Amino acid sequence: MTDSPDLPEPGAAVEPVSPPEVVRTRTGMFGAGTGDTSGYGRIRRSVVMPGPGAEPVPEGYRGVLEDLRSALERPGDGPPFTTMVRSVTCYRGEVTLRVAREHLVAVARALRDEPALRFEMCLGTSGVHFPEDPDAELRAVTHLRSITHSRTLRLETSCPDTDPHVPSLFSVYPTVDWHERETFDFFGIVFDDHPSLTRIEMPDDWDGHPQRKDYPLGGIGVQFHGAEVAAPDTRRSYP
């Protein structure tokens, strides 16, 4: 998404500041490439992401951006709010903050600790891969929930394929531990300062990251490292 220099005021209608962004174009029923056997190779469909300020801030989010701005700028010696939170998207009743990766931990901590915000629960982190998005091919998406104020917020930060590093949120939300490991395993995003960033699904010596869009579809042998199958007469039976 294109960054917006001016963030929307909470509770007010948001004027579109940029058109929706075409992030990629799919060709054929099963996407581009030689694996399309659908017979519809001429079909082309654009994958469009909403631009900043796509619709009014949803009900119940009044004051969130103002409170976050106040919490982040309170020390007085930090970067401007618009440097840390580069854009805000309101789409289908959901609010997404596009956060610069170097400020991700500070933004998350303010969202957790500020009494007017109190996003005390992290619902998890997952990855997205847009190979056609230069310098932002990999994205880490984190969903936060405020039980106190009954609202949900999405944080999104990006990094390039050539430097796939994003700060870990473990110091703010320890429950994100396994979610970040899974995202590292499947997408190759390296979460800096994670206490134990190792694979969680694939074997340690597995080559590649299976949920990236450039990962080959097939032709990879199934490997069982050190697995032993018990004899039939020694297995447990379940009546």
Side-chain angles (χ1 to χ4, degrees):
M1 292 179 292
T2 304
D3 294 338
S4 170
D6 298 314
L7 300 179
E9 291 298 325
V14 181
E15 295 295 332
V17 296
S18 64
E21 180 185 3
V22 178
V23 295
R24 58 193 294 251
T25 301
R26 298 187 63 187
T27 303
M29 183 175 292
F30 301 115
T34 59
D36 183 8
T37 59
S38 66
Y40 294 93
R42 295 183 181 180
I43 292 179
R44 297 179 61 85
R45 182 175 67 86
S46 298
V47 179
V48 179
M49 299 291 287
E55 63 181 41
V57 175
E59 185 69 25
Y61 288 80
R62 183 178 299 276
V64 168
L65 297 180
E66 182 180 347
D67 293 333
L68 179 59
R69 185 194 300 268
S70 299
L72 291 173
E73 294 183 347
R74 189 173 298 143
D77 56 355
F81 179 65
T82 51
T83 300
M84 294 184 277
V85 180
R86 293 180 173 176
S87 67
V88 178
T89 298
C90 306
Y91 185 63
R92 295 181 177 176
E94 299 179 344
V95 179
T96 301
L97 306 185
R98 181 80 176 273
V99 181
R101 58 176 172 170
E102 60 269 24
H103 301 296
L104 180 63
V105 175
V107 172
R109 184 172 288 113
L111 288 168
R112 183 195 66 180
D113 295 343
E114 180 65 23
L117 299 171
R118 292 297 293 155
F119 285 91
E120 59 269 87
M121 177 181 289
C122 179
L123 302 179
T125 294
S126 56
V128 189
H129 185 211
F130 291 106
E132 294 85 2
D133 193 356
D135 298 324
E137 293 91 349
L138 294 169
R139 301 185 187 182
V141 182
T142 300
H143 291 81
L144 305 179
R145 177 71 181 172
S146 172
I147 300 175
T148 302
H149 302 292
S150 188
R151 54 196 176 202
T152 304
L153 195 68
R154 181 187 293 111
L155 300 182
E156 179 183 312
T157 191
S158 61
C159 59
D161 270 338
T162 55
D163 182 25
H165 289 263
V166 169
S168 172
L169 290 179
F170 180 85
S171 62
V172 184
Y173 298 105
T175 55
V176 83
D177 182 358
W178 284 13
H179 296 274
E180 289 184 347
R181 286 180 60 192
E182 184 179 62
T183 303
F184 161 71
D185 193 355
F186 288 154
F187 290 91
I189 299 176
V190 179
F191 292 91
D192 295 333
D193 298 323
H194 187 283
S196 180
L197 193 64
T198 57
R199 289 188 182 270
I200 195 171
E201 297 282 353
M202 309 303 292
D204 291 338
D205 58 352
W206 192 267
D207 186 19
H209 304 281
Q211 288 191 354
R212 291 171 58 106
K213 291 186 174 66
D214 55 5
Y215 191 78
L217 299 177
I220 299 176
V222 178
Q223 304 175 44
F224 297 95
H225 297 271
E228 295 183 2
V229 180
D233 57 347
T234 61
R235 299 176 192 170
R236 294 184 61 181
S237 61
Y238 298 89

